[in-house]
C-alpha cells in the first residue's frame, strides 16, 4: 500500500469518527457520550480513536471546528451569494432553519448552542472556541445587514454588528424554549419580532 493511499484511508477513518461523534454529541450530549460508543458507531477499534485524537476534549473541539466550517459555508452561500434582497436573504435563512428544527422534532436545537449550554461555563477551551464560532457567524449576518442598510431596507441608525449579536442571542434563547416547550412558537415569535417589528 502506498503512503498516499494510507494517508487517504487515514483521512477517511478520521472523518467517519468525527461524523459519528458529532451525531452522538448532538443527540445525547458531550458528557453522556463515551469514546467506546463513538468508535462502535464508526466501526473502528477504540485504539484507533487515540491515533487521531489526544483526548475526548480534543475530539470535541475538532467536531466543533467541522461544524463551524460546514455552517459557515452554508451561511455565506445563503447570505452573501444569493441574488435576493439582503433582508429577504436573512429572513429566508431563519425560516429554513425553523423548518429544519421542526422536522427534527424540536429536540436537538443547535449543535454549538447545545455544547455552549453543557460546557461553556465549565471548560475554558470549549468556551473560547464556542465564542469564536458565534462571533464568526455574527460577522456574516452583520455583513448582510450592512448591505440591507445600504439598500435602504433597514434604518441606518442601527449598528449591524450589535444587531447581529442580538439576533444570535435571541435565536439561541428561542431554541432553548423550543426544546423545553416542544413547539416552534418561540422561533416564530423571533421571526415576527425581528423581521416585522425591529427591522420591518
Amino acid at each position: 500500500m502506498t503512503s498516499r493511499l494510507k494517508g487517504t484511508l487515514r483521512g477517511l477513518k478520521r472523518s467517519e469518527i468525527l461524523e459519528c461523534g458529532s451525531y452522538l454529541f448532538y443527540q445525547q450530549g458531550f458528557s453522556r457520550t463515551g469514546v467506546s460508543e463513538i468508535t462502535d458507531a464508526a466501526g473502528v477499534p477504540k485504539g484507533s480513536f487515540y491515533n487521531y485524537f489526544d483526548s475526548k476534549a480534543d475530539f470535541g473541539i475538532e467536531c466543533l471546528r467541522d461544524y463551524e466550517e460546514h455552517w459557515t459555508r452554508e451561511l455565506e452561500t445563503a447570505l452573501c451569494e444569493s441574488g435576493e434582497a439582503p433582508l429577504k436573504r436573512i429572513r429566508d435563512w431563519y425560516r429554513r432553519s425553523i423548518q429544519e428544527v421542526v422536522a427534527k422534532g424540536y429536540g436537538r436545537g443547535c449543535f454549538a448552542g447545545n455544547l455552549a449550554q453543557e460546557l461553556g461555563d465549565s471548560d475554558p477551551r470549549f468556551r473560547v472556541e464556542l465564542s469564536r464560532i458565534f462571533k464568526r457567524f455574527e460577522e456574516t449576518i452583520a455583513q448582510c445587514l450592512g448591505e440591507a442598510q445600504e439598500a435602504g431596507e433597514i434604518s441606518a441608525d442601527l449598528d449591524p454588528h450589535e444587531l447581529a449579536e442580538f439576533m444570535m442571542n435571541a435565536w439561541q434563547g428561542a431554541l432553548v424554549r423550543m426544546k423545553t416547550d416542544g413547539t416552534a412558537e418561540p422561533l416564530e415569535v423571533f421571526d415576527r419580532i425581528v423581521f416585522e417589528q425591529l427591522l420591518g
Side-chain angles (χ1 to χ4, degrees), residues 20-21 24 28-29 31-43 46:
C20 291
L24 290 169
Q28 59 195 33
S31 300
R32 293 177 58 193
T33 302
V35 171
S36 295
E37 194 172 1
I38 295 166
T39 54
D40 286 349
K46 186 174 181 180

Side-chain angles (χ1 to χ4, degrees), residues 2 12 15 19 26 39 44 60 65 79 81 86 95-97 100 103 105 121 165 174 189 200:
T2 66
L12 288 172
S15 296
E19 182 179 351
Y26 192 27
T39 54
V44 299
R65 289 173 180 167
L79 300 191
E81 299 176 16
R95 284 183 165 175
R96 285 195 300 273
S97 298
E100 288 174 9
D121 63 347
E165 182 177 354
V189 169

Side-chain angles (χ1 to χ4, degrees), residues 64-74 132 136:
L64 269 177
R65 289 173 180 167
D66 265 18
Y67 165 87
E68 173 191 5
E69 291 308 312
H70 171 77
W71 284 107
T72 296
R73 287 194 301 270
E74 293 281 332
R132 185 187 59 75
R136 186 175 179 187

Side-chain angles (χ1 to χ4, degrees), residues 3 9-10 16 21 32 43-44 49-50 72 81 83 86 89 96 106 111 122 128 131 138 150 184 189 192-193 198:
S3 59
L9 292 174
R10 179 180 173 85
E16 191 168 357
R32 293 177 58 193
V44 299
F49 180 92
Y50 295 102
T72 296
E81 299 176 16
R89 288 180 233 156
R96 285 195 300 273
Y106 311 111
F111 181 66
S122 61
V128 169
S131 177
E138 287 168 14
E150 292 174 3
V189 169
R192 290 194 299 272
I193 295 296
L198 180 60

Side-chain angles (χ1 to χ4, degrees), residues 87 90-91 145 148 153-155 158 163 167 192-200:
L87 197 56
I90 301 175
R91 191 170 195 180
L145 289 169
E153 293 185 308
I154 62 175
S155 171
L158 296 169
L163 185 54
M167 290 171 66
R192 290 194 299 272
I193 295 296
V194 170
F195 293 102
E196 295 175 16
Q197 298 186 35
L198 180 60
L199 301 179

